[in-house]
Amino acid sequence: MIYSCEEHVDIALDDIVDKYETYPVLSQIPVDKAAASCEYCEKQAVYMVANK
Ligand SMILES: [Zn+2]
């Protein structure tokens, strides 16, 4: 599972496909529950990309 900001969500999706060779599942993190930071920068994560 990868946490990502708005800007890096495309990279996160690609990474899941590359690493797990499976279809990525994108979900938005509720603003009030956002605690994680982006995997690729210092911003607060907005999306969560999981491998199913
Ligand atoms: Zn980012």
Side-chain angles (χ1 to χ4, degrees):
M1 178 158 17
I2 298 175
Y3 291 100
S4 162
C5 70
E6 196 109 30
E7 194 179 331
H8 294 113
V9 66
D10 290 342
I11 301 172
L13 291 169
D14 281 351
D15 266 7
I16 290 287
V17 175
D18 283 353
K19 280 183 196 167
Y20 304 105
E21 294 177 345
T22 183
Y23 197 77
V25 182
L26 180 66
S27 43
Q28 196 157 11
I29 304 171
V31 177
D32 59 331
K33 285 185 181 164
S37 55
C38 174
E39 188 94 355
Y40 310 96
C41 70
E42 301 294 307
K43 286 186 194 167
Q44 193 170 46
V46 180
Y47 295 105
M48 201 172 67
V49 187
N51 60 312
K52 208 168 190 180

